[in-house]
Amino acid sequence: MTETYILHQIAAGEPQAMNAFLERYSGLVWSLARRHSPSPHDAEDAVQEIFLEIWKSAGRYDPGVAAEQTFVAMIARRRLIDRSRRHKRQPRADVLPEPEVIAAEMEPDRVEIADEAQRVSSVLRTLRPEQQKVLELSLVHGRSHSQISEQTGMPLGTVKSLARRGLMKVRRALGVEPNGGPSPDDPIPGEEDSGRGGSRRTDDSQEVSR
Amino acid sequence: MTPSRERMEELVADRVLWGLSETEAQELARFGDPAEAEFAALERTGAAITAAILEPTLDGPPAHLQERLRRAAEDFLGRSLPVPEGRSTERAPTGPAAVRRPAPRPVAPASPGSSPWISWSGWATAAAAAVVALVLYLDQDRRAEVPPLDQQLQALLRDDPDLMRLDWEVGPQGEIVWSPKAQRGFLRLRGLAANAERDFQYQLWIFDRKRSAETPVDGGVFDIDTAGADATPEGDLLVPIDAKILVHEAFAFAITKEEPGGVVVSAKRPEQIVAAAGL
């Protein structure tokens, strides 16, 4: 059976698909934008910007790589992060890949994409409550690690550690691996000099890239 | 795992979660293509988590934004969109029908010159008079079907033997159901006035014995809308509690009226207090 994806229909210029897309995903994009934006007005501008970006990228959506919902959330997060940095007038130390190349970079998944949201929810429930909270504050609310530390009263190192481990645990549960990436034992470029001695930021003012 | 791979994964995770400093970005760049591939995988994971967390409490965009998006879509396609069924409804079908939960935005705390904070118990009592004027009976126009939030509440009541339950003592009828273990809960409300989001929004505060009573935990911002009803079969509106930080030992709850988007620290003027329990 061939499944039809709304994004592909949008890429084909089907107006009815646009209605369906707005109905299905406007809640997700709006909810995320409200949490990342300084005002409702800014959130509304962000939502429109995000949808335009998604529509432009619709033809490159690969259902073998990510669920539509994940694709939408990923572009939404990128644009919201971009907007946040523009508001703060912070330069970026590196450049995010454009949405057009997202599909090419992500490997085909081994899990059933349709079950992804349910699987993620199941895995999240296995995390400690404070770990869930740290991930939510970071990914959904766009809080910095310093802000999370301040809000939760947890040491900065604990916040980082909880979030990293939670993210990696969900990734392992989903079977998401880098496309063509090396195994954990393969050598890494720059291994000799990359070590653990890199400078670490100590406050938000130094966070300049994603 | 070699230390350098561990370091690469740390940097990639930080890039997804918070972004990197310039120094860190340069350090990550030295790992080359494997780091980019790792980033793509973790970014996708982060997006999947984001969608999964938001899914149970999605807010539908306001009607004027829906109209704006339709116009943008028509401009993008270069043709008109068919009018969807039920388009006259205010909200997208993905959102809860009666209670919208926009996220709070950080604003400056109350200025030092503002009125000193009176005790919660004191202003809760003072608020009672104000509440009388605000009470509207909302048990109408409810959806016929069992609302999803009610199912969530029932599941919580069934599965968690250590739930905390408190009746509202000031303001609306109903109760607070809070699971310390799951860090989740619900407000059951009857008699809280509908609000216009542009005028003010309701904000929940959770008092934690491990924290100062002067700085209760933000339990989330929400709206009450009489257009629909996300309610229990008994007619109580349900609001999911969205604690922004870990709550160690909740002992009391309060609802205030705040500026749109909510605040980090409430000024707690008596006229702002619309509900309290456990104080």
Side-chain angles (χ1 to χ4, degrees):
Chain A
M1 184 176 71
T2 302
E3 193 165 351
T4 303
Y5 295 94
I6 305 178
L7 282 166
H8 291 166
Q9 293 175 313
I10 288 174
E14 296 180 22
Q16 192 64 52
M18 195 62 93
N19 273 339
F21 187 79
L22 289 172
E23 181 177 310
R24 183 171 300 182
Y25 295 115
S26 61
L28 172 62
V29 174
W30 170 244
S31 297
L32 190 58
R34 284 298 307 270
R35 286 162 172 78
H36 277 255
S37 303
S39 70
H41 178 76
D42 186 78
E44 291 176 11
D45 289 346
V47 168
Q48 181 168 347
E49 183 181 317
I50 289 165
F51 272 108
L52 278 171
E53 192 70 56
I54 295 169
W55 297 335
K56 288 176 186 174
S57 309
R60 297 181 184 272
Y61 169 65
D62 182 350
V65 171
E68 260 182 353
Q69 180 176 257
T70 299
F71 184 81
V72 169
M74 185 156 52
I75 292 179
R77 282 196 73 236
R78 285 186 172 191
R79 291 302 149 230
L80 290 167
I81 290 165
D82 274 348
R83 290 178 65 88
S84 175
R85 301 219 179 280
R86 287 205 297 269
H87 288 314
K88 294 174 184 173
R89 299 180 184 280
Q90 289 180 320
R92 282 168 46 166
D94 64 353
V95 179
L96 287 171
E98 289 302 311
E100 285 78 5
V101 300
I102 286 174
E105 287 187 349
M106 296 191 303
E107 73 160 53
D109 205 348
R110 289 189 291 274
V111 302
E112 291 293 330
I113 295 298
D115 292 340
E116 188 169 85
Q118 190 175 342
R119 292 188 63 173
V120 172
S121 296
S122 297
V123 177
L124 285 174
R125 283 195 292 272
T126 69
L127 302 180
R128 291 153 56 187
E130 59 267 35
Q131 199 164 26
Q132 295 178 38
K133 186 57 68 180
V134 167
L135 281 177
E136 180 178 349
L137 288 170
S138 168
L139 294 171
V140 177
H141 294 273
R143 301 282 196 274
S144 72
H145 44 56
S146 303
Q147 289 172 322
I148 296 172
S149 174
E150 186 178 341
Q151 287 185 22
T152 62
M154 288 189 281
L156 197 60
T158 303
V159 169
K160 289 181 178 181
S161 176
L162 283 172
R164 288 169 183 157
R165 289 176 186 169
L167 190 63
M168 298 301 289
K169 183 172 182 179
V170 176
R171 174 188 160 180
R172 285 194 299 274
L174 291 178
V176 180
E177 295 297 337
N179 187 23
S183 74
D185 297 323
D186 285 346
I188 298 295
E191 183 169 354
E192 297 78 14
D193 60 358
S194 58
R196 300 182 61 83
S199 76
R200 307 292 297 167
R201 64 174 177 269
T202 55
D203 57 48
D204 295 341
S205 65
Q206 294 179 41
E207 294 173 17
V208 292
S209 72
R210 283 258 178 185
Chain B
M1 184 184 299
T2 62
S4 60
R5 172 163 290 280
E6 186 180 353
R7 177 61 180 154
M8 183 189 80
E9 290 186 353
E10 279 183 4
L11 289 168
V12 170
D14 285 357
R15 185 182 175 196
V16 172
L17 291 161
W18 297 294
L20 300 178
S21 69
E22 194 159 352
T23 303
E24 289 170 326
Q26 289 169 357
E27 184 185 355
L28 184 60
R30 289 203 295 272
F31 289 99
D33 290 342
E36 286 305 309
E38 188 81 7
F39 175 71
L42 270 189
E43 188 191 31
R44 186 201 136 185
T45 303
I49 293 172
T50 301
I53 291 174
L54 282 172
E55 185 64 29
T57 56
L58 290 181
D59 306 319
H64 67 272
L65 178 57
Q66 291 184 40
E67 186 56 37
R68 181 175 164 184
L69 291 173
R70 277 180 57 81
R71 288 198 302 271
E74 289 175 341
D75 288 345
F76 179 80
L77 292 177
R79 46 202 293 204
S80 298
L81 300 187
V83 178
E85 286 185 30
R87 185 167 168 267
S88 59
T89 55
E90 176 93 358
R91 251 169 281 132
T94 50
V99 180
R100 303 187 302 271
R101 296 185 59 81
R105 60 186 166 85
V107 297
S111 66
S114 61
S115 300
W117 289 43
I118 60 178
S119 72
W120 279 91
S121 57
W123 58 253
T125 303
V131 167
V132 171
L134 294 170
V135 168
L136 286 177
Y137 198 80
L138 303 180
D139 185 22
Q140 54 185 333
D141 196 24
R142 284 187 286 120
R143 287 182 296 180
E145 69 273 16
V146 178
L149 285 181
D150 185 53
Q151 293 174 12
Q152 293 178 38
L153 172 60
Q154 294 308 318
L156 197 63
L157 292 170
R158 183 180 62 245
D159 299 338
D160 191 338
D162 300 319
L163 282 179
M164 175 184 185
R165 301 181 72 165
L166 277 179
D167 289 333
W168 290 111
E169 296 158 352
V170 172
Q173 297 175 26
E175 66 172 343
I176 304 106
V177 178
W178 172 252
S179 167
K181 179 181 175 185
Q183 293 285 297
R184 297 177 59 224
F186 294 89
L187 309 180
R188 295 169 64 117
L189 298 166
R190 182 184 295 206
L192 194 60
N195 67 297
E197 181 181 342
R198 292 185 183 281
D199 297 334
F200 73 89
Q201 292 186 283
Y202 292 110
Q203 188 162 6
L204 174 70
W205 301 97
I206 306 169
F207 290 80
D208 186 344
R209 290 197 194 281
K210 300 289 177 66
R211 302 177 190 278
S212 166
E214 293 299 300
T215 54
V217 174
D218 177 2
V221 177
F222 61 95
D223 299 315
I224 298 294
D225 183 351
T226 55
D230 209 335
T232 66
E234 295 78 29
D236 297 331
L237 290 177
L238 288 177
V239 179
I241 297 174
D242 181 21
K244 295 294 182 287
I245 60 175
L246 183 66
V247 179
H248 301 277
E249 189 179 345
F251 70 95
F253 297 80
I255 298 173
T256 58
K257 291 164 61 177
E258 303 291 352
E259 63 182 83
V263 298
V264 174
V265 177
S266 175
K268 291 190 297 190
R269 294 187 299 273
E271 65 270 22
Q272 288 181 271
I273 318 304
V274 297
L279 290 168

